[in-house]
Amino acid sequence: MTLTQKRIFILLVVIVIAAVLGRLAFRAFLNLLLGGTLFGGNFL
């Protein structure tokens, strides 16, 4: 594996992780605004 291939692979992994964490953070923010629970269900 050349250095360029390794850089592209690492970049793709970082992009996937960032997308997953970004969506989760966005859902958490919306749930705080709407007063819901993050993963469904009622904790009260």
Side-chain angles (χ1 to χ4, degrees), residues 9-27:
F9 179 71
I10 290 172
L11 192 64
L12 284 174
V13 170
V14 168
I15 287 173
V16 168
I17 291 172
V20 170
L21 288 179
R23 286 192 49 153
L24 196 62
F26 185 68
R27 280 186 56 194

Side-chain angles (χ1 to χ4, degrees), residues 1-9:
M1 211 182 223
T2 65
L3 187 63
T4 306
Q5 284 176 322
K6 203 176 285 187
R7 277 185 180 170
I8 292 173
F9 179 71

Side-chain angles (χ1 to χ4, degrees), residues 27-38:
R27 280 186 56 194
F29 178 67
L30 280 182
N31 273 303
L32 279 175
L33 284 181
L34 298 173
T37 57
L38 187 54

